[in-house]
Structures are given as structure tokens and as C-alpha cells.
């Protein structure tokens, strides 16, 4: 989903939860049913397998794997579509570090066991500075936070809403109930829970991530949120429509009121991007897989005449004989 959002998809884009097959492999859901047209947010919140596979097919499973590696996953992941449903072994540490990118506004901080060593006087003897890098854009991160909040509001992890705190995350259940996952976060803490056996033994019928892992996560997070009652996700703050041109005043009021003239009777407003203000993109109600072009592909910009100083011809190059003569004169 992060790969799709980073590529321009929107949470309200429509995708079809309908039967599909790839080379004889037909993904299906836990309930063995299909829900038809639904938004990307609803598909993520309800943990629908078919939409996830369709997104991976549309935006490229290799791009999805590359995104996972950007998040810090070190596993060598083979490029086949079932990877979209979790068909790869990833450690709990890497999962937690990866999910922390979303509440961090797209920034990944590499996990550390020891931050620093100090002596009794508080002098630092050794320090391991954090490895920090931007993984995804802030806009993508905040969009993903909103979508993952839907999981804990009305999706497969709706029980987490009982915490009455800003939380977001994702449940996970592998085939035959051998693994149960919940990766979730508040604005200040990211936590992951995995339940399973080392020998890939089944946990038992219906032991999903929501049933086996989520309650453990909630027990821990009830303590972690103490003292953070007023925190909220940056994405929950008031935001302006990203498809609406941003405007800002180009003239600020001076200390003393100027004499009004025809030229300064009113402040002029210009787009924040002074080059141009993009018109809002019309809503495309067609399902993602029915579109002939990639969603939200940018329109080619109009050609502009370069400034005069860039159009000037470069000075002529001197001949080798002239260069030798100048060199001898200098010497």
C-alpha cells in the first residue's frame, strides 16, 4: 500500500475485490468470499488479500520489495506475487523498525541496543549515534497513518479503539494459523507482537492476529500511553486539501501604514509555487486495474523559453597554435 500511495494512488481509489488468477494461482481471503468494489482504505482495514495482490501486480512486486528494503528489511525476498500476502520470513525487530517509519513522518531510525555509556559524573564515554534517513515522503507517511488508523477504528483490529487513544496498525495471519501478528503504533511508541511456534505448528483454528496477538499488544500499550494522553498523529491535525492550490500573500504589512495608492491598495496574492498553480485533478471513479495509464501520472510541463543569458552562444575555442603562443608568452 505504501508503494501505491508513493506512486500516486489515493486512499479513496477504487479497487475490485473479485476473483483473479496469476499463472494458475488464485488468491482468496480468510472468509473465502469477495466484496466487489471498495476503496484502498477499506481493503486495508479489512485485510483483503485479493486487493493487496492486485496492487502488487499493478505497481510491480519488485517495487514493493524495493520499498521493503528501504524500510530496513534485510531479507532476500523473491519477486513473486504471494509476497504481497506475507510469504517471506521477516524478523519481529525489522517489522517494528519498519512500521515506526509511518508515525515518524517517513523517517527511519535504525534500532540500537545501547545508546551511550557514561561514567558516574555523567560524562559520555561512548555513544552510538542513530542512523537516520528519509524512507518515504512525509505525505505518504501521513496518508498511511490515516489508512492504518482505519484498521483500528473499524477494521480487523477495531478492538484497539477501546484504548481511547490515537492508535494505528495492521493485523496479520499466515496460512493454517501458524503465525499471528499485530504491528501497531501510537504517536510516540511502535510495538509489534508475534505469536507462533518455532516449528511452524498451527496455533489452532481461528487464532488470527486480531485474536492471538492484538490482546497482548493492547495490554502492553495501556501502560505505554500513560502520560501521553494529549498526543496525536501529525496526520490528525487540520490539513488543507492537497489538490487545492496553496495561496500566500506576497506583500507583508510594513511597521507603519503606507499611503494608499492604486498600486498598493490591496495586497497581491500568488501561488506558493510561483511557477504555476496546478489545477485540481478530476476524480477518477474507475477501478485501478481498469485504467490504461498509471494513476496520478504527472502531466508533462509546458516548454518554457530559457532566459537570454542561457541562450547566448559560448565563446569560440582558441586554436592549438594560439594556445602555444600564449603559453610561451606567459612563461
Amino acid at each position: 500500500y505504501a508503494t501505491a500511495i508513493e506512486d500516486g494512488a489515493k486512499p479513496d481509489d477504487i479497487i475490485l475485490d473479485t476473483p483473479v488468477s496469476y499463472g494458475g494461482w488464485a488468491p482468496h481471503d480468510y472468509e473465502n468470499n469477495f466484496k466487489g468494489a471498495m476503496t484502498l482504505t477499506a481493503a486495508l482495514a479489512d485485510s483483503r488479500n485479493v486487493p493487496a495482490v492486485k496492487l502488487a501486480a499493478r505497481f510491480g512486486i519488485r517495487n514493493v520489495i524495493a520499498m521493503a528494503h528501504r524500510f530496513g528489511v534485510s531479507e532476500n525476498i523473491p519477486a513473486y506475487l504471494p509476497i504481497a500476502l506475507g510469504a517471506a520470513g521477516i524478523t519481529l525487530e525489522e517489522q517494528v523498525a519498519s512500521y515506526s517509519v509511518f508515525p515518524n513522518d517517513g523517517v527511519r531510525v535504525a534500532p540500537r541496543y545501547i545508546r551511550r555509556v557514561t561514567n558516574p559524573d555523567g560524562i559520555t564515554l561512548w555513544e552510538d549515534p542513530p542512523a537516520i534517513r528519509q524512507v518515504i515522503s512525509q505525505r505518504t507517511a501521513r496518508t498511511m497513518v490515516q489508512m492504518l488508523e482505519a484498521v483500528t477504528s473499524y477494521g480487523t483490529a477495531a478492538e484497539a479503539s477501546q484504548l481511547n487513544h490515537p492508535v494505528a496498525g495492521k493485523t496479520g495471519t499466515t496460512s493454517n494459523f501458524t503465525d499471528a501478528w499485530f504491528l501497531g503504533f501510537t504517536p510516540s511508541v511502535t510495538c509489534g507482537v508475534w505469536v507462533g511456534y518455532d516449528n511452524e505448528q498451527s496455533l489452532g483454528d481461528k487464532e488470527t492476529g486480531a485474536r492471538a496477538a492484538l490482546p497482548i499488544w493492547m495490554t502492553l500499550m495501556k501502560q505505554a500511553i500513560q502520560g501521553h494522553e494529549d498526543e496525536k498523529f501529525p496526520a490528525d491535525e487540520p490539513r488543507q486539501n492537497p489538490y487545492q492550490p496553496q495561496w500566500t500573500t506576497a506583500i507583508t504589512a510594513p511597521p507603519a501604514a503606507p499611503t494608499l495608492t492604486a498600486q498598493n491598495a490591496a495586497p497581491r496574492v500568488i501561488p506558493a509555487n510561483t511557477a504555476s498553480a496546478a489545477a485540481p485533478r478530476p476524480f477518477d471513479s474507475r477501478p485501478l486495474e481498469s485504467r490504461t495509464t498509471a494513476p496520478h501520472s504527472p502531466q508533462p510541463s509546458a516548454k518554457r523559453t530559457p532566459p537570454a543569458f542561457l541562450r547566448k552562444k559560448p565563446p569560440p575555442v582558441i586554436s592549438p597554435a594560439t594556445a602555444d603562443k600564449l603559453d610561451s608568452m606567459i612563461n
Side-chain angles (χ1 to χ4, degrees):
Y1 282 88
T3 304
I5 296 298
E6 186 89 335
D7 199 69
K10 294 193 304 175
D12 291 334
D13 278 341
I14 302 298
I15 194 164
L16 298 180
D17 183 15
T18 53
V20 67
S21 63
Y22 300 92
W25 174 65
H28 59 84
D29 279 279
Y30 168 69
E31 297 90 351
N32 274 320
N33 61 1
F34 300 95
K35 294 191 175 182
M38 59 197 318
T39 65
L40 297 188
T41 299
L44 178 62
D46 204 28
S47 197
R48 304 299 295 180
N49 287 342
V50 172
V53 174
K54 286 186 175 181
L55 281 179
R58 175 171 178 78
F59 291 94
I61 189 61
R62 295 183 185 277
N63 294 329
V64 175
I65 294 171
M67 176 69 78
H69 288 156
R70 283 164 55 185
F71 272 66
V73 174
S74 60
E75 195 74 21
N76 183 20
I77 304 175
Y80 58 90
L81 285 178
I83 291 298
L85 304 182
I90 299 176
T91 66
L92 179 59
E93 177 189 354
E94 289 188 344
Q95 289 273 38
V96 174
S98 296
Y99 268 75
S100 68
V101 169
F102 298 127
N104 279 350
D105 265 352
V107 175
R108 181 182 187 272
V109 181
R112 294 169 293 161
Y113 285 111
I114 302 174
R115 295 182 180 180
R116 67 176 60 89
V117 177
T118 61
N119 67 10
D121 296 324
I123 299 175
T124 300
L125 304 177
W126 177 87
E127 187 172 9
D128 183 13
I132 301 173
R133 60 188 175 91
Q134 190 81 30
V135 173
I136 54 177
S137 67
Q138 181 189 81
R139 179 173 177 176
T140 297
R142 295 190 176 189
T143 300
M144 287 302 302
V145 168
Q146 287 183 297
M147 295 176 69
L148 290 167
E149 280 186 287
V151 178
T152 58
S153 296
Y154 58 84
T156 55
E159 186 178 352
S161 62
Q162 297 176 12
L163 293 176
N164 294 318
H165 195 85
V167 295
K170 183 70 182 70
T171 56
T173 309
T174 56
S175 300
N176 198 32
F177 306 103
T178 56
D179 301 272
W181 292 85
F182 185 74
L183 273 295
F185 50 84
T186 66
S188 58
V189 176
T190 301
C191 174
V193 174
W194 167 76
V195 180
Y197 293 100
D198 292 338
N199 59 359
E200 297 188 8
Q201 176 184 341
S202 176
L203 294 169
D205 189 37
K206 312 296 184 183
E207 291 296 331
T208 63
R211 179 172 174 174
L214 179 60
I216 302 173
W217 185 89
M218 291 178 62
T219 299
L220 174 65
M221 295 304 290
K222 285 178 182 178
Q223 303 302 318
I225 63 178
Q226 298 298 320
H228 299 274
E229 288 78 11
D230 297 330
E231 68 179 357
K232 59 182 179 179
F233 291 117
D236 291 334
E237 298 174 354
R239 297 175 306 282
Q240 187 162 350
N241 183 348
Y243 296 100
Q244 183 72 24
Q246 306 286 314
W247 301 90
T248 181
T249 56
I251 301 176
T252 58
T259 303
L260 293 180
T261 65
Q263 286 75 26
N264 65 6
R268 182 173 61 94
V269 295
I270 60 174
N273 179 0
T274 56
S276 64
R281 187 180 60 83
F283 177 71
D284 191 345
S285 61
R286 296 174 297 163
L288 284 175
E289 59 265 32
S290 67
R291 302 180 192 175
T292 57
T293 58
H296 320 302
S297 56
Q299 298 297 322
S301 57
K303 293 183 178 180
R304 292 183 295 177
T305 304
F309 73 90
L310 291 178
R311 299 198 303 270
K312 291 181 180 180
K313 294 182 179 180
V317 179
I318 63 175
S319 65
T322 302
D324 292 340
K325 185 180 294 184
L326 289 173
D327 186 57
S328 62
M329 292 171 64
I330 293 172
N331 292 334

